[in-house]
């Protein structure tokens, strides 16, 4: 007999030396976490995240080294009756006197009256670092509240970037705390139902959490090569919990199954390593390949997410091959304690009952595979069809939760003072000698834009032009009264880029200019991702195909894997469009439709779903291949593989659907879309794809499933365990 696979040798050593394996794992996790904390996190800079013309505009602005303090405003409006300018001026004077005495206020400007006379605005400049202004804005809000108490006939409220950020931080902080508090109990509850025993339910969570801790430290170290972003840690937690629980479920269920057949503890661990352990390694590589595709997006955020995800998956795979066998060997039959009486009887492998639900689901696929395949694929294609009309946009200010007073004040501010709402940034770099000419050109540009209905009128104080200390960089803010996701706002950007800016600055010697801002960011980033999407998808498909071919020694299995995962992803895209580009689900999920899908979501969703779907696919097809290798007919092997894996696949899917659904309850539209997209895709994948489409396809193809060119064919190997006979009711007439 040849050398045992490395997965088996690792598991055997760990099972024979459990305390050493556990100690090594604890040391590994501690060293990774402590080492990462000591090295510190290197975050991506603006230059790292610059994309397209809007990115160039940001770099030009950065080159000006502007003193850009945080700015707040006191907005004074009527409470429903006619606006009283004299009373508003008195309130503004009171606010100015009070705010000048507040720590953190650098200066208070002169009150500005709205063009339509409906409001008064008092600008406030804060001292200190603008990045931390939201942490220091509360004393200003308290002072404004005291002014409001003294003028009850008016509405006196504070609005500005720092106060909005503070309100959003409070709202989102509460959201994420709730999600974190719910996710762990939900995961444990589902695992207890799946295993019927508390220790067995706790083992997957333990492996997942330790994998996340180690990966957090490793990703901090890796940030010195690939700078991190503020979303990396969240994605590591999301992916780490998903794959960590999945891999443990696969392994623990198989080990329990083998012990129930009378195997010794070591033999059960060894068989689990040779079967489920092998599937874990293959699916881990598939997930890492999928996430590695994000590196080709040429984007700092996606590169950071790719590195973090690859690290946490790699750690989870290593843990499932080392510390997990050690824990199972050390626990022995204690892994099934303490038992939950009713659940234990339903889930125990010793129960000796044949499953009833999944054989019933499988009957159509096994008895009429062609008809079942046509109907199920037709349903998935119908679900995917709306994806053809997908629109992508960045969320704007109008998409933020409106439940806070700060956001309600912002809406009133943009109505009374349109130039304080959505705006374009015209960034210009030219020789210092041309500064006066650039200033005149920008003033003329602002005047032309002010006369165009696509842009907001210039305020009485004149256009907002800033010039750097060295006079080489000039910045003009051109406001538009249209919100960032409207067609008019996009036309205003195109008008600036194609007409107004080139006409105004084209004659300046040595000039370099670019138009940025929120609208430009959204349009440029959407275009960038549309260009990169085919490259990323192609990379993921090709490498996943090669991994599946080498794993199963079958071209047909590899091709069917690709097609099924594409169907799953397409259906998820279609449902996202149905739910979020329309308005019918707004009341159900508590959101306001932005008429589009968040720009970054389709690409990220594809790689995550493609990777996680391979977990299930590899596990199920591995069980089917076991049946074939044990001498079963293809049809009986399909029945055996699906029914023997259905429980663990369903449990793993329910865990992920439960956790992802929590994200759908968050306030931010991008988190809602992410949660719904992931939950729906996993649910479809574990039900329609794995229980209907896959068995129908493999039954229809028969022995052709295992076709491969001669050079790929492997010598037959005995099955690791003798599979039971297929359920009689699944075997139709020959």
């Amino acid at each position: 007999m040849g050398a045992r696979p490395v997965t088996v040798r690792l598991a055997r050593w760990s099972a024979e030396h459990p305390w050493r394996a556990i100690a090594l794992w604890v040391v590994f996790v501690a060293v990774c976490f402590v080492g990462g904390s000591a090295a510190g996190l290197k975050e991506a800079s603006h230059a790292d995240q610059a994309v397209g013309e809007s990115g160039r505009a940001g770099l030009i602005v950065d080159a000006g080294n502007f003193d850009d303090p945080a700015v707040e405003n006191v907005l004074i409006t009527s409470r429903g009756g006619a606006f009283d300018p004299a009373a508003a001026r008195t309130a503004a004077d009171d606010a100015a006197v009070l705010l000048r005495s507040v720590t953190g206020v650098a200066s208070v400007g002169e009150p500005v009256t709205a063009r339509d006379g409906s409001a008064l605005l008092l600008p406030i400049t804060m001292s200190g670092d603008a990045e931390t202004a939201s942490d220091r804005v509360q004393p200003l809000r308290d002072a404004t509240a005291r002014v409001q108490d003294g003028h009850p006939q008016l509405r006196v409220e504070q609005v500005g970037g720092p106060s909005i950020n503070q309100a959003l931080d409070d709202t989102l902080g509460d959201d994420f705390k709730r999600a974190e508090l719910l996710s762990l109990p939900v995961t444990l509850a589902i695992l207890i139902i799946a295993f019927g025993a508390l220790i067995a339910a706790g083992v997957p969570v333990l492996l997942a959490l330790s994998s996340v801790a180690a990966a957090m430290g490793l990703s901090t170290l890796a940030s010195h090569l690939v700078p991190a972003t503020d979303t990396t840690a969240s994605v590591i937690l999301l992916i780490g919990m998903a794959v960590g629980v999945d891999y443990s479920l696969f392994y623990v269920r198989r080990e329990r199954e083998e012990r129930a057949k009378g195997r010794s503890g070591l033999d059960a661990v060894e068989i689990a390593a040779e079967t489920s352990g092998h599937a874990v390694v293959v699916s881990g590589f598939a997930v890492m390949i999928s996430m590695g595709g994000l590196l080709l997006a040429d984007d700092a955020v996606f590169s950071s997410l790719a590195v973090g995800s690859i690290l946490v998956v790699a750690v989870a795979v290593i843990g499932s091959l080392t510390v997990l066998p050690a824990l199972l060997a050390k626990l022995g039959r204690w892994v099934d304690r303490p038992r939950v009486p009713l659940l234990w009887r339903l889930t125990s492998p010793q129960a000796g009952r044949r499953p009833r639900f999944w054989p019933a689901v499988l009957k159509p696929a096994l008895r009429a595979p062609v008809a079942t395949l046509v109907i199920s694929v037709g349903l998935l294609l119908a679900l995917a069809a709306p994806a053809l009309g997908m629109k992508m946009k960045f969320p704007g200010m109008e998409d933020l939760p409106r439940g806070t007073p700060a956001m309600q004040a912002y809406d009133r501010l943009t109505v009374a003072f349109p130039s304080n709402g959505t705006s374009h940034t015209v960034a210009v770099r030219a020789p210092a000698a041309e500064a006066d000419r650039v200033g005149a050109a920008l003033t003329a540009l602002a005047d032309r834009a002010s006369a165009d209905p696509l842009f907001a009128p210039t305020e009485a104080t004149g256009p907002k032009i800033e010039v750097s200390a060295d006079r080489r960089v000039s910045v003009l803010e051109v406001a538009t009264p249209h919100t960032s996701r409207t067609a008019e706002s996009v036309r205003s950007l195109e008008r600036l880029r194609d007409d107004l800016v080139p006409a105004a600055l084209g004659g300046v010697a040595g000039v370099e200019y670019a138009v940025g801002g929120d609208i430009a960011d959204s349009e440029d980033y959407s275009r960038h991702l549309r260009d990169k999407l085919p490259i990323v998808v192609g990379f993921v498909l090709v490498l996943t195909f090669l991994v599946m071919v080498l794993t199963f020694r079958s071209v047909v299995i590899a091709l069917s894997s690709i097609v099924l995962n594409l169907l799953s992803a397409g259906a998820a895209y279609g449902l996202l469009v149905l739910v979020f580009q329309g308005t019918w689900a707004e009341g159900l999920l508590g959101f306001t439709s932005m008429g589009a899908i968040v720009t970054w979501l389709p690409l990220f969703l594809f790689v995550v779903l493609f990777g996680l779907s391979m977990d299930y696919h590899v596990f199920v097809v591995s069980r089917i291949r076991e049946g074939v290798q044990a001498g079963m007919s293809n049809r009986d092997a399909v029945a055996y593989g699906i029914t023997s894996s259905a429980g663990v696949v369903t449990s793993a899917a329910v865990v992920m659907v439960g956790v992802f659904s929590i994200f759908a309850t968050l306030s931010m539209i991008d988190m809602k879309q992410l949660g719904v997209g992931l939950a729906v895709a996993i649910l479809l994948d574990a039900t329609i794809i794995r229980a209907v489409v896959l068995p129908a396809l493999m039954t229809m193809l028969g022995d052709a499933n295992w076709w491969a060119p001669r050079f790929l064919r492997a010598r037959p190997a005995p099955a690791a365990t003798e599979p039971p006979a297929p359920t009689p009711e699944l075997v139709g007439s020959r």
Side-chain angles (χ1 to χ4, degrees):
M1 182 181 292
R4 305 291 279 170
V6 66
T7 57
V8 177
R9 283 179 280 155
L10 279 173
R12 186 83 188 192
W13 184 90
S14 297
E16 290 175 344
H17 307 87
W19 287 120
R20 294 184 192 178
I22 293 170
L24 286 172
W25 179 255
V26 171
V27 170
F28 169 71
V29 173
V31 167
C32 291
F33 190 78
V34 173
S37 300
L41 184 70
K42 181 182 178 183
E43 297 187 2
S45 64
H46 289 166
D48 294 325
Q49 301 182 65
V51 172
E53 183 174 340
S54 60
R56 295 200 307 274
L59 294 178
I60 292 173
V61 173
D62 289 344
N65 294 315
F66 291 100
D67 179 18
D68 192 16
V71 175
E72 282 286 300
N73 302 279
V74 174
L75 178 67
I76 303 172
T77 55
S78 72
R79 284 194 172 276
F83 181 70
D84 185 345
R89 174 69 65 168
T90 301
D93 291 341
D94 292 347
V97 171
L98 187 57
L99 285 164
R100 287 191 180 101
S101 65
V102 173
T103 302
V105 173
S107 64
V108 178
E110 292 298 318
V112 179
T113 303
R115 280 180 173 271
D116 61 2
S118 64
L120 195 67
L121 190 70
L122 181 69
I124 308 161
T125 302
M126 294 183 64
S127 59
D129 185 359
E131 295 293 327
T132 63
S134 60
D135 299 329
R136 298 177 284 106
V137 75
Q138 190 58 47
L140 282 71
R141 299 179 68 180
D142 293 340
T144 302
R146 290 200 293 274
V147 176
Q148 172 67 88
D149 292 340
H151 298 271
Q153 76 280 15
L154 297 169
R155 182 186 285 114
V156 183
E157 52 196 343
Q158 190 166 329
V159 59
S163 55
I164 290 174
N165 288 338
Q166 185 197 52
L168 289 176
D169 287 344
D170 291 343
T171 301
L172 300 181
D174 291 342
D175 275 357
F176 282 108
K177 284 179 184 176
R178 185 177 71 251
E180 290 169 1
L181 289 173
L182 285 175
S183 59
L184 194 57
V186 166
T187 301
L188 276 173
I190 295 169
L191 290 174
I192 289 171
I193 294 171
F195 285 115
L198 299 185
I199 293 178
V203 167
V205 175
L206 183 64
L207 175 65
L209 291 176
S210 61
S211 298
V212 168
M216 290 282 192
L218 290 174
S219 69
T220 302
L221 292 170
S223 70
H224 294 273
L225 297 175
V226 180
T229 63
D230 54 5
T231 56
T232 305
S234 298
V235 170
I236 288 175
L237 179 61
L238 184 73
I239 301 297
M241 290 301 295
V243 298
V245 169
D246 270 9
Y247 298 163
S248 299
L249 267 171
F250 297 163
Y251 209 107
V252 175
R253 285 292 287 263
R254 187 56 182 261
E255 189 267 349
R256 293 174 83 206
E257 180 183 319
E258 297 303 325
R259 277 196 293 106
K261 294 176 183 177
R263 312 274 188 187
S264 68
L266 283 176
D267 288 342
V269 167
E270 188 169 325
I271 291 171
E274 191 165 6
T275 54
S276 295
H278 178 71
V280 163
V281 172
V282 175
S283 63
F285 271 110
V287 175
M288 287 188 278
I289 286 170
S290 294
M291 301 308 298
L294 291 176
L295 294 170
L296 300 179
D298 191 24
D299 176 84
V301 175
F302 282 136
S303 294
S304 174
L305 298 183
V307 171
S309 300
I310 290 170
L311 288 172
V312 77
V313 172
V315 172
V317 169
I318 294 170
S320 70
L321 299 178
T322 55
V323 72
L324 185 56
L327 284 171
L328 294 176
K330 195 64 186 173
L331 288 168
R333 296 193 178 276
W334 277 98
V335 76
D336 295 329
R337 312 279 181 171
R339 298 172 180 176
V340 181
L342 176 61
L343 294 176
W344 172 255
R345 287 196 296 272
L346 294 174
T347 62
S348 169
Q350 289 92 343
R353 293 185 301 271
R354 292 187 182 277
R356 295 181 180 180
F357 176 75
W358 290 108
V361 172
L362 272 177
K363 280 183 182 179
L366 297 178
R367 294 182 176 177
V370 176
T372 302
L373 189 64
V374 169
I375 293 171
S376 56
V377 170
L379 173 62
L380 290 171
L381 290 175
L383 288 175
L388 297 174
M390 181 185 291
K391 301 174 183 177
M392 293 190 293
K393 292 284 185 183
F394 262 151
M397 289 292 288
E398 62 272 22
D399 300 306
L400 296 174
R402 252 47 190 181
T404 61
M407 290 309 305
Q408 295 163 7
Y410 173 81
D411 290 339
R412 285 186 280 269
L413 172 69
T414 55
V415 169
F417 298 88
S419 62
N420 285 274
T422 306
S423 65
H424 305 285
T425 301
V426 181
V428 184
R429 180 159 46 195
E434 299 290 337
D436 291 339
R437 190 175 178 188
V438 169
L442 290 178
T443 300
L445 166 61
D447 291 341
R448 283 192 65 191
S450 184
D452 190 320
L454 288 174
F455 302 96
T458 303
E459 294 295 338
T461 53
K464 298 178 180 178
I465 301 176
E466 286 188 275
V467 181
S468 63
D470 62 5
R471 295 173 56 83
R472 296 185 67 248
V473 176
S474 301
V475 178
L476 168 67
E477 295 292 331
V478 182
T480 173
H482 308 289
T483 56
S484 60
R485 64 170 178 245
T486 60
E488 291 82 3
S489 69
V490 176
R491 285 204 300 271
S492 70
L493 173 66
E494 294 169 348
R495 182 75 191 278
L496 277 175
R497 285 181 168 178
D498 299 339
D499 179 16
L500 297 179
V501 174
L505 296 167
V508 179
V511 72
E512 174 190 359
Y513 56 80
V515 180
D518 291 342
I519 300 168
D521 286 342
S522 178
E523 292 300 305
D524 292 347
Y525 198 66
S526 296
R527 188 178 301 111
H528 173 77
L529 291 188
R530 281 194 294 267
D531 293 342
K532 296 297 182 181
L533 184 61
I535 299 172
V536 175
V537 170
F539 171 85
V540 172
L541 295 183
V542 169
L543 284 194
T544 302
F545 174 80
L546 293 176
V547 168
M548 295 299 288
V549 166
L550 294 175
T551 300
F552 292 103
R553 302 289 176 173
S554 167
V555 172
V556 177
I557 291 293
L559 283 174
S560 63
S561 304
I562 299 297
V563 171
L564 294 186
N565 284 344
L566 286 175
L567 273 174
S568 177
Y573 283 170
L575 281 169
L576 266 182
V577 171
L578 280 176
V579 171
F580 289 102
Q581 283 190 195
T583 58
W584 66 271
E586 288 181 334
L588 182 64
L589 293 176
F591 72 96
T592 300
S593 175
M594 58 186 286
I597 304 303
V598 176
T599 304
W600 56 267
L601 191 60
L603 180 58
F604 182 70
L605 200 61
F606 173 80
V607 296
V608 171
L609 293 179
F610 208 88
L612 295 182
S613 295
M614 293 308 297
D615 279 358
Y616 305 145
H617 193 82
V618 169
F619 186 72
V620 173
V621 175
S622 294
R623 295 303 292 259
I624 294 173
R625 185 175 64 169
E626 284 182 32
V628 172
Q629 290 175 337
M632 288 183 176
S633 69
N634 182 77
R635 184 175 182 178
D636 291 349
V638 169
Y640 161 70
I642 299 295
T643 55
S644 62
S645 62
V648 66
V649 168
T650 303
S651 300
V654 171
V655 169
M656 283 202 276
V657 170
V659 172
F660 294 153
S661 297
I662 294 173
F663 281 77
T665 68
L666 303 185
S667 301
M668 298 295 287
I669 187 67
D670 48 359
M671 290 295 102
K672 283 186 181 292
Q673 292 187 3
L674 177 64
V676 170
L678 288 172
V680 165
I682 295 298
L683 184 62
L684 288 174
D685 193 80
T687 53
I688 296 178
I689 296 290
R690 304 302 158 206
V692 180
V693 180
L694 175 63
L697 178 62
M698 294 191 72
T699 302
M700 183 186 73
L701 292 174
D703 292 337
N705 282 303
W706 312 103
W707 179 86
R710 186 178 298 275
F711 69 90
L712 280 175
R713 296 174 191 169
R715 287 178 296 180
T721 181
E722 191 70 25
T727 307
E729 60 266 29
L730 289 176
V731 183
S733 59
R734 298 288 191 267

